Amino acid sequence: MSFISLLKNNVISIDIGSFETKVVIGCKKKDQLIIDKAFSFKTPDSAYMNGYIKYNNVLVNKVTNEFVMNNVKSGICYLSIKSTDIITREITIPVIEKKDIDGLLKYQLAEYLPMDYSKYVIQHRIINKFIEEGKEKLNISVIAAPADMVDMHYNFVRDIGLRPVVLDYQPNCIWKLFCFSNGINGKIKIEDKTIAAIDLGHDSTNVTIIKEGIMKINRVIDMEDIKISSKTKELTIEKSSESEDIGNLCDKFSFYNGNINNIRTSLESILNRIDRMFKFFLSNDIGCGIDYIILYGGLSKINEIDKLFFDYFGIPTMILNRIEKLNTLVDINKYINCLGLLIRNDGV
């Protein structure tokens, strides 16, 4: 049996979702992403929820079997995570040396993040530098992930026989990929636009707003109380090359289970929550508008969902289907987190 060679500095990039797990094997070389292989499979029921591994042995067995079927052996692993329990904040501090930022944050974080720091892994990223009242200051993005969540992902990677190297927050993956690319869908230049990238996942929706290449805000919207049936989720996975019309989905939905809520009601609930987030962003960035909405993720496969978003928000909306600087045709929409994981900029 021949296995994929990892001698070319290839990385095994994994995006575990509550409904589907995606894997990309490749690397970033100079100004291009080189992809050797990409595959996906259904995540075992209830094994992974809201960023937590609930049944490690079940998930390990499933992933290990899929690796054997796809001729993947050992190597370096990058893993992405997303959870409503991950806390993010943007804070402002005076300009200081990079090596001194961690120390300063320890004293200032209590003002922004009232929590038990011993239970979180905290990291930061410099967003930009600006001048306020004649003094230079830094905008810092801080992310705090539950320590037990980080530990369980580290142990999981070791259990599947890989070497854990990177655990990255999904909005960070999206931001890096969009900045790395020359354009989105062949026409949107991120450096002079404000875009809202929306991951319409099966169990959560993630909104990342990027203004002129700078990630301004990201939030994970919990969809626990928004019921979308497993049959609808399966339909969005089955239709990898063609989309399903909302009306047809509803017909099939009713055929399989007449008591399930209409999918239009679920989508409307999602739109309402996204609208509140947009209003929060715009209220804190006076004079700014959102130029484009970019949709991706499982539910973005529903045909004309971009039209639904445009009708609701009045903002040009499109489904993500293309980025530049990629060496092969791969489903960008599906593997976006895995691709963004491959890009490491100054260790972030």
Side-chain angles (χ1 to χ4, degrees):
M1 180 182 295
S2 62
F3 290 93
I4 292 175
S5 172
L6 294 173
L7 299 178
K8 299 181 295 183
N9 297 320
N10 272 358
V11 169
I12 301 173
S13 176
I14 304 177
D15 170 19
I16 308 173
S18 61
F19 196 72
E20 187 180 25
T21 296
K22 283 80 70 176
V23 180
V24 164
I25 299 175
C27 63
K28 175 180 175 290
K29 288 190 175 180
K30 295 183 179 179
D31 208 29
Q32 191 176 37
L33 290 179
I34 309 297
I35 308 304
D36 282 352
K37 193 168 205 176
F39 60 93
S40 65
F41 50 90
K42 189 177 182 300
T43 305
D45 292 341
S46 302
Y48 193 85
M49 300 176 65
N50 193 29
Y52 290 94
I53 300 173
K54 297 295 186 178
Y55 300 102
N56 186 68
N57 290 341
V58 173
L59 190 59
V60 167
N61 290 337
K62 176 63 174 178
V63 173
T64 302
N65 290 337
E66 292 290 337
F67 277 11
V68 172
M69 292 172 58
N70 286 278
N71 297 338
V72 179
K73 201 176 181 181
S74 60
I76 292 172
C77 179
Y78 293 176
L79 198 64
S80 71
I81 56 172
K82 175 181 70 174
S83 172
T84 56
D85 288 347
I86 294 176
I87 303 171
T88 61
R89 292 291 187 275
E90 182 178 322
I91 67 174
T92 300
I93 63 173
V95 172
I96 57 176
E97 295 290 332
K98 286 186 178 181
K99 61 182 178 62
D100 297 325
I101 292 178
D102 282 333
L104 180 61
L105 287 177
K106 289 181 180 179
Y107 294 100
Q108 287 208 353
L109 276 180
E111 179 182 346
Y112 298 90
L113 301 173
M115 61 188 189
D116 183 353
Y117 296 111
S118 66
K119 296 181 179 180
Y120 287 83
V121 175
I122 301 173
Q123 293 190 340
H124 73 271
R125 176 179 58 82
I126 298 175
I127 299 175
N128 63 349
K129 183 187 296 186
F130 67 100
I131 297 177
E132 183 179 73
E133 297 179 351
K135 296 181 180 180
E136 282 192 319
K137 295 188 177 182
L138 293 174
N139 270 335
I140 304 289
S141 175
V142 178
I143 177 172
D148 58 342
M149 180 184 294
V150 174
D151 289 342
M152 66 177 59
H153 283 84
Y154 176 85
N155 293 330
F156 162 77
V157 173
R158 291 179 63 89
D159 288 344
I160 61 175
L162 303 182
R163 182 157 65 92
V165 175
V166 170
L167 182 64
D168 205 348
Y169 188 42
Q170 286 185 11
N172 197 46
C173 298
I174 306 309
W175 166 69
K176 288 185 300 179
L177 186 63
F178 283 1
C179 291
F180 173 77
S181 173
N182 283 331
I184 302 170
N185 285 7
K187 64 178 182 179
I188 301 176
K189 303 294 184 182
I190 192 173
E191 63 269 13
D192 60 359
K193 300 294 182 183
T194 297
I195 66 170
I198 301 178
D199 178 5
L200 295 172
H202 292 107
D203 292 299
S204 66
T205 293
N206 183 67
V207 181
T208 303
I209 297 179
I210 304 170
K211 179 182 178 182
E212 297 175 353
I214 298 173
M215 182 165 58
K216 301 296 294 183
I217 189 173
N218 63 78
R219 295 289 186 273
V220 178
I221 300 173
D222 187 8
M223 291 166 52
E224 185 176 354
D225 59 335
I226 300 176
K227 302 302 181 184
I228 297 177
S229 79
S230 59
K231 182 53 62 177
T232 300
K233 297 174 184 179
E234 289 168 5
L235 285 170
T236 61
I237 288 182
E238 290 169 3
K239 301 190 70 62
S240 58
S241 60
E242 57 177 326
S243 297
E244 184 75 13
D245 182 86
I246 291 178
N248 290 340
L249 260 178
C250 290
D251 291 340
K252 291 186 178 182
F253 212 46
S254 299
F255 176 79
Y256 288 112
N257 190 338
N259 295 321
I260 300 176
N261 292 332
N262 190 296
I263 191 171
R264 289 189 181 91
T265 302
S266 299
L267 291 174
E268 185 175 340
S269 297
I270 296 171
L271 290 168
N272 289 336
R273 298 184 187 192
I274 294 173
D275 186 45
R276 290 198 294 269
M277 189 171 300
F278 282 1
K279 289 176 179 176
F280 172 78
F281 166 71
L282 296 173
S283 67
N284 286 278
D285 204 325
I286 305 300
C288 179
I290 297 174
D291 297 305
Y292 292 98
I293 295 174
I294 309 296
L295 304 178
Y296 62 98
L299 297 183
S300 72
K301 295 182 182 296
I302 299 173
N303 193 36
E304 294 190 348
I305 195 170
D306 50 342
K307 183 178 183 299
L308 183 68
F309 270 73
F310 175 75
D311 290 343
Y312 190 95
F313 294 106
I315 299 172
T317 303
M318 60 189 70
I319 310 298
L320 178 67
N321 58 38
R322 177 185 169 192
I323 62 168
E324 307 298 328
K325 301 182 181 180
L326 192 64
N327 77 317
T328 185
L329 292 177
V330 65
D331 188 345
I332 304 298
N333 188 309
K334 185 172 189 174
Y335 294 103
I336 182 171
N337 291 315
C338 291
L339 296 172
L341 265 173
L342 297 176
I343 303 169
R344 313 310 306 164
N345 298 328
D346 296 326
V348 300

